[in-house]
Amino acid sequence: MKNIKVLDCTLRDGGRIINCEFEDRITRAISKELTKANIDIVEVGFLRGHDLVDYKGNSTFFTETSQIAKVLPSNRRNTMFTAFIDYNMYDFSKLELCDGTSIDAIRVGFTKKQFNQNLEDIKKCLLHVKKQGYKLFVQGVNSLSYSDAEMLKLIKLMNEVQPYSFGIVDTYGAMYLDDIVHYFDIVNYNLDESICIDVHSHNNFQSSFAFAQDIIGKCADGKRTLIVDASLDGMGKGAGNLNTELIIDYLVRKKNYDYDFDRILDVIDDYITPYADKHKWGYNVPALMSGIYKAHPNNVIYLTSKYRLMTKDIKNILSMIDPDTRQRYNYDNIERLYVEYSSSKVDDNRAIDILGKQIQGKPVLVMAPGATVNEKRADIVSIIEKEHPFIISVNFVPSFLKNITIFWGNKKKYMSAKSDQKSCMNIICSNVNNDASDNEILVNYHSLIDRGNKYFDNSTMMLLNLLKRIGVKKIFIAGFDGFDKDKSENYVNGSFQNNRYISHFDEVNDCIESMMKKYAESVVGKCDIQFITPSKYESAVRGRKA
């Protein structure tokens, strides 16, 4: 049993790179040639509301199914034709009856936010598509945003509605192989076997072809029909999609399917190559950044075309956008963040060299501002006398130590301790002060943080990241206690205490422990880390791999 179907979405998802401005003759020709090549399903474009689209032809943004009928081949052979509806961009009550002259199916996509806020209306719309006689495809946009419990809730709806197909959608090209396998296993186990599973990926991590092969292997028992989305030459905005020619060649040569590979190559040469000559798509490093940060490709395109930034700058600006916001695009917001980023960006390569020469291969003692700095002072002094480390304190000047270096990652602490800084060497993060004086070394804030964590700007973690850049081989840590709601004093002195955030202590501890574990594993074999005062984060270091 041949239970794998290929859905070509060139005219819809591929068309986004040209605003879907395919001439009617090209839409008609591509549809006809894909049919002759035995492609199972062809997605012809979008259905949008009249308030959003003024359809005048030469576009695959349609407003009525009767418009689509004019660009479909007279002989459809065994090919199914479909169009895509974004839930909030079409009035489902306007959907015409399926009379056999136009498309056979409708794909409906919605976001998790829409699903949570409009569940009953979405269900009503899905059922209406079926009532009008169309095969129903459902795409839960950005599957990666769903927790397992949320995905099961969505699957429950699918089992009630009984669509033709349900899609696992890697909207931002952010999935790794274990992600796609994880979601496929959840869906495959819980979704009614009569419903097809559709896999739609983007190629930001150059993984789309691997995803397809792996999931095809999981369907080898023939119990489940699998639909694999692809586009000619991978055409699509940003990194693009799985290549139709790749997946059909694989199915022909490895699984004995009867797709016409030569005809697909002719379609690419005749109709897609002219677009490729004018528009760039496919894997590139900025697209990788879009995948990492689950960002709409328009954000990357805008930053690349307007500012011609270095890739690492694009990465850092993307990371500054709120996770929900970066899944859309707001050019005013990007410009604001660009200005903010540019004002605090510094080239700190020389500063790293200077610090490396000052440390001279010594171990480093990191003095965080936890209360154990006072409670375990004798232990700290003992380590100093025994190991003779290079000492760096974080956002404070220890009263019992002299001739040390202070790392300032917090502007408020830096400004309040101005008078204490004159006798010390100071390492200043560029978010604190962008203008270093004689006894200050300026380092780039953006190189020391990972915005994937909510509390990414923890100053001690920023210092540890700096020491990794320098290549320090041994680190002692004191005063990195963690936060305890039952203690009256969590800090070395009262200037740090802020009980307004006590309700967040558990969340902060979990986040920092996660960052510490990730950090410790990243320096295995390169740096020995030892806590010399009690810490909630010590287990993250003890548990690292040998």
Side-chain angles (χ1 to χ4, degrees):
M1 175 184 175
K2 288 183 168 59
N3 63 316
I4 310 301
K5 297 181 184 292
V6 173
L7 184 155
D8 186 276
C9 58
T10 306
L11 294 167
R12 198 274 302 179
D13 210 12
R16 293 171 68 232
I17 197 169
I18 58 168
N19 196 33
C20 287
E21 293 175 351
F22 290 104
E23 295 179 29
D24 287 346
R25 66 174 184 85
I26 292 177
T27 301
R28 191 175 295 110
I30 290 174
S31 299
K32 181 178 180 180
E33 293 305 309
L34 289 175
T35 300
K36 288 184 177 180
N38 297 322
I39 297 300
D40 305 282
I41 307 166
V42 175
E43 189 170 51
V44 193
F46 291 91
L47 268 178
R48 291 273 167 92
H50 287 274
D51 57 327
L52 298 174
V53 171
D54 181 17
Y55 180 77
K56 295 179 180 179
N58 296 319
S59 170
T60 54
F61 280 122
F62 304 98
T63 57
E64 299 172 5
T65 58
S66 57
Q67 298 160 354
I68 303 175
K70 298 174 183 178
V71 294
L72 298 185
S74 57
N75 183 359
R76 304 189 188 193
R77 301 160 67 99
N78 294 314
T79 299
M80 183 192 306
F81 287 89
T82 186
F84 194 100
I85 295 177
D86 288 291
Y87 166 70
N88 62 339
M89 295 186 177
Y90 184 78
D91 182 353
F92 283 83
S93 69
K94 306 292 186 185
L95 182 63
E96 302 123 298
L97 282 168
C98 180
D99 61 5
T101 64
S102 186
I103 52 176
D104 312 286
I106 299 286
R107 287 221 283 185
V108 179
F110 48 81
T111 66
K112 186 178 81 168
K113 182 177 180 180
Q114 290 168 342
F115 174 68
N116 289 333
Q117 294 180 351
N118 305 285
L119 174 58
E120 289 306 316
D121 188 58
I122 286 174
K123 182 177 180 180
K124 176 183 174 183
C125 293
L126 298 180
L127 290 173
H128 184 69
V129 170
K130 292 182 65 177
K131 181 182 177 182
Q132 295 300 91
Y134 297 92
K135 286 184 170 63
L136 171 66
F137 292 63
V138 179
Q139 304 290 93
V141 174
N142 190 18
S143 299
L144 201 56
S145 68
Y146 287 81
S147 67
D148 290 357
E150 290 168 334
M151 182 58 68
L152 289 172
K153 182 180 178 182
L154 180 52
I155 293 169
K156 182 175 182 292
L157 175 65
M158 294 304 100
N159 289 337
E160 294 174 8
V161 172
Q162 287 288 302
Y164 176 79
S165 169
F166 172 67
I168 299 169
V169 189
D170 186 17
T171 303
Y172 304 106
M175 286 190 182
Y176 292 100
L177 185 58
D178 61 331
D179 296 316
I180 197 81
V181 168
H182 176 74
Y183 282 99
F184 179 83
D185 287 346
I186 291 175
V187 175
N188 191 39
Y189 185 81
N190 293 283
L191 186 69
D192 189 310
E193 277 192 359
S194 66
I195 303 171
C196 308
I197 295 179
D198 181 305
V199 175
H200 182 96
S201 63
H202 290 98
N203 213 20
N204 298 62
F205 295 161
Q206 289 192 312
S207 299
S208 288
F209 189 34
F211 288 173
Q213 292 176 69
D214 197 79
I215 299 304
I216 287 170
K218 284 181 164 290
C219 294
D221 59 8
K223 294 180 180 179
R224 174 82 69 183
T225 297
L226 174 70
I227 299 171
V228 180
D229 287 13
S231 64
L232 296 165
D233 196 23
M235 184 178 183
K237 186 168 283 189
N241 300 69
L242 168 64
N243 297 55
T244 299
E245 63 275 14
L246 281 178
I247 192 60
I248 69 160
D249 176 63
Y250 171 77
L251 289 168
V252 167
R253 293 201 289 129
K254 290 291 187 178
K255 304 294 182 181
N256 299 315
Y257 279 64
D258 64 346
Y259 301 111
D260 189 337
F261 183 62
D262 287 346
R263 189 176 291 275
I264 290 296
L265 296 180
D266 286 340
V267 176
I268 292 172
D269 285 341
D270 293 343
Y271 301 108
I272 303 304
T273 298
Y275 292 114
D277 290 340
K278 297 178 182 178
H279 304 273
K280 182 177 175 59
W281 67 78
Y283 171 81
N284 54 42
V285 178
L288 168 64
M289 297 302 109
S290 180
I292 289 173
Y293 289 101
K294 304 177 184 65
H296 194 289
N298 280 8
N299 292 304
V300 175
I301 292 168
Y302 184 77
L303 287 168
T304 304
S305 60
K306 178 163 185 177
Y307 297 114
R308 302 193 180 279
L309 297 170
M310 294 177 67
T311 304
K312 67 179 181 181
D313 296 324
I314 292 174
K315 165 185 172 291
N316 289 331
I317 293 172
L318 285 178
S319 74
M320 295 169 70
I321 305 173
D322 175 82
D324 289 335
T325 305
R326 70 172 76 120
Q327 293 177 11
R328 303 181 296 278
Y329 51 96
N330 180 327
Y331 297 143
D332 290 339
N333 183 55
I334 293 175
E335 288 191 7
R336 179 183 63 78
L337 293 175
Y338 169 75
V339 171
E340 178 186 333
Y341 173 75
S342 299
S343 67
S344 62
K345 178 195 171 190
V346 299
D347 181 354
D348 62 0
N349 288 320
R350 185 169 176 272
I352 297 299
D353 289 340
I354 292 171
L355 286 168
K357 290 175 183 177
Q358 288 184 357
I359 293 172
Q360 293 182 335
K362 293 180 180 179
V364 172
L365 169 58
V366 171
M367 296 271 290
T372 56
V373 167
N374 295 326
E375 298 163 7
K376 301 291 182 179
R377 181 179 297 187
D379 295 339
I380 296 170
V381 171
S382 175
I383 285 290
I384 293 172
E385 292 175 348
K386 180 181 177 182
E387 299 285 347
H388 305 290
F390 188 90
I391 305 172
I392 307 178
S393 69
V394 180
N395 291 329
F396 80 108
V397 181
S399 59
F400 63 99
L401 297 175
K402 295 182 179 180
N403 300 319
I404 66 170
T405 299
I406 318 297
F407 176 85
W408 299 101
N410 181 289
K411 187 169 185 176
K412 182 178 179 180
K413 300 304 175 191
Y414 171 77
M415 297 304 294
S416 65
K418 273 284 190 179
S419 61
D420 297 327
Q421 298 165 17
K422 296 178 182 178
S423 61
C424 305
M425 178 57 69
N426 298 278
I427 303 170
I428 314 294
C429 273
S430 57
N431 65 308
V432 170
N433 186 2
N434 218 351
D435 184 20
S437 60
D438 291 340
N439 67 333
E440 295 178 340
I441 298 173
L442 193 61
V443 293
N444 185 11
Y445 166 74
H446 298 284
S447 70
L448 305 181
I449 59 173
D450 177 3
R451 291 184 187 265
N453 295 281
K454 183 174 181 179
Y455 297 95
F456 59 82
D457 58 350
N458 177 270
S459 294
T460 302
M461 290 305 309
M462 288 163 61
L463 173 57
L464 291 174
N465 285 325
L466 176 63
L467 298 180
K468 180 164 65 173
R469 288 185 64 196
I470 295 169
V472 172
K473 292 181 170 54
K474 189 169 187 177
I475 300 174
F476 296 101
I477 302 177
F480 199 24
D481 304 350
F483 299 93
D484 190 336
K485 289 183 284 189
D486 296 327
K487 289 181 66 174
S488 59
E489 295 291 338
N490 277 279
Y491 294 100
V492 66
N493 62 55
S495 69
F496 285 87
Q497 199 70 25
N498 193 339
N499 290 327
R500 286 187 301 165
Y501 301 108
I502 194 168
S503 61
H504 299 290
F505 277 2
D506 289 341
E507 182 185 24
V508 175
N509 284 331
D510 289 344
C511 183
I512 295 176
E513 183 179 17
S514 175
M515 287 192 288
M516 192 69 215
K517 183 177 181 180
K518 181 179 177 182
Y519 179 87
E521 292 190 354
S522 74
V523 297
V524 168
K526 300 177 182 179
C527 180
D528 178 34
I529 304 171
Q530 296 181 27
F531 282 82
I532 59 175
T533 62
S535 171
K536 292 181 180 292
Y537 316 128
E538 188 172 2
S539 60
V541 174
R542 283 201 310 265
R544 64 179 175 165
K545 300 173 184 176

